Coordinates of all heavy atoms in Angstrom, one line a residue:
G129 N -57.2 30.1 -66.4 CA -57.1 28.6 -66.5 C -56.3 28.1 -65.4 O -55.7 27.0 -65.5
S142 N -56.4 12.9 -51.5 CA -57.1 12.0 -52.4 C -57.0 12.3 -53.8 O -57.2 11.5 -54.7 CB -58.6 12.0 -52.2 OG -59.2 13.2 -52.7
S155 N -57.6 21.6 -70.0 CA -56.6 22.7 -70.1 C -56.4 23.4 -68.8 O -55.5 24.3 -68.7 CB -56.9 23.6 -71.2 OG -58.1 24.2 -71.0
R181 N -57.0 34.3 -38.3 CA -56.5 34.9 -39.4 C -55.0 34.5 -39.8 O -54.6 34.4 -40.9 CB -56.6 36.5 -39.3 CG -58.0 37.0 -39.5 CD -58.0 38.5 -39.3 NE -57.4 39.4 -40.3 CZ -57.9 39.6 -41.5 NH1 -59.2 39.3 -41.7 NH2 -57.2 40.3 -42.3
I198 N -53.1 32.3 -60.4 CA -54.4 31.7 -60.0 C -55.5 32.8 -59.9 O -55.2 33.8 -59.1 CB -54.2 31.0 -58.6 CG1 -53.3 29.8 -58.8 CG2 -55.5 30.6 -58.0 CD1 -52.8 29.1 -57.4
D199 N -56.6 32.7 -60.6 CA -57.6 33.7 -60.5 C -58.9 33.2 -59.9 O -59.9 34.0 -59.8 CB -57.8 34.3 -61.8 CG -58.4 33.4 -62.8 OD1 -58.6 32.1 -62.5 OD2 -58.8 33.8 -63.9
A204 N -63.2 24.2 -51.2 CA -63.6 22.7 -51.4 C -63.8 21.9 -50.0 O -63.4 20.9 -49.8 CB -62.6 22.0 -52.2
P220 N -55.8 39.2 -52.9 CA -56.1 40.4 -53.9 C -57.5 40.3 -54.5 O -58.0 39.2 -54.8 CB -55.0 40.1 -55.0 CG -54.2 39.0 -54.6 CD -54.8 38.3 -53.4
E245 N -88.0 9.1 -61.4 CA -88.0 7.9 -60.6 C -87.5 8.2 -59.2 O -87.9 7.6 -58.2 CB -87.3 6.7 -61.2 CG -85.8 6.7 -61.1 CD -85.0 7.7 -62.1 OE1 -85.6 8.4 -62.7 OE2 -83.8 7.7 -62.1
R269 N -76.9 25.8 -31.3 CA -76.2 27.1 -31.2 C -75.4 27.3 -32.5 O -75.4 28.4 -33.1 CB -75.3 27.1 -30.0 CG -74.8 28.5 -29.6 CD -74.1 28.5 -28.3 NE -73.0 27.4 -28.3 CZ -73.1 26.5 -27.4 NH1 -74.1 26.3 -26.5 NH2 -72.2 25.5 -27.4
H284 N -78.8 11.4 -32.1 CA -78.8 10.1 -32.6 C -77.4 9.5 -32.5 O -76.5 10.1 -33.0 CB -79.4 9.9 -34.0 CG -79.2 8.6 -34.5 ND1 -80.0 7.5 -34.1 CD2 -78.3 8.0 -35.4 CE1 -79.6 6.4 -34.7 NE2 -78.6 6.7 -35.5

Side-chain angles (χ1 to χ4, degrees):
S142 76
S155 62
R181 284 178 71 84
I198 293 172
D199 68 351
E245 76 287 3
R269 193 174 48 247
H284 173 72

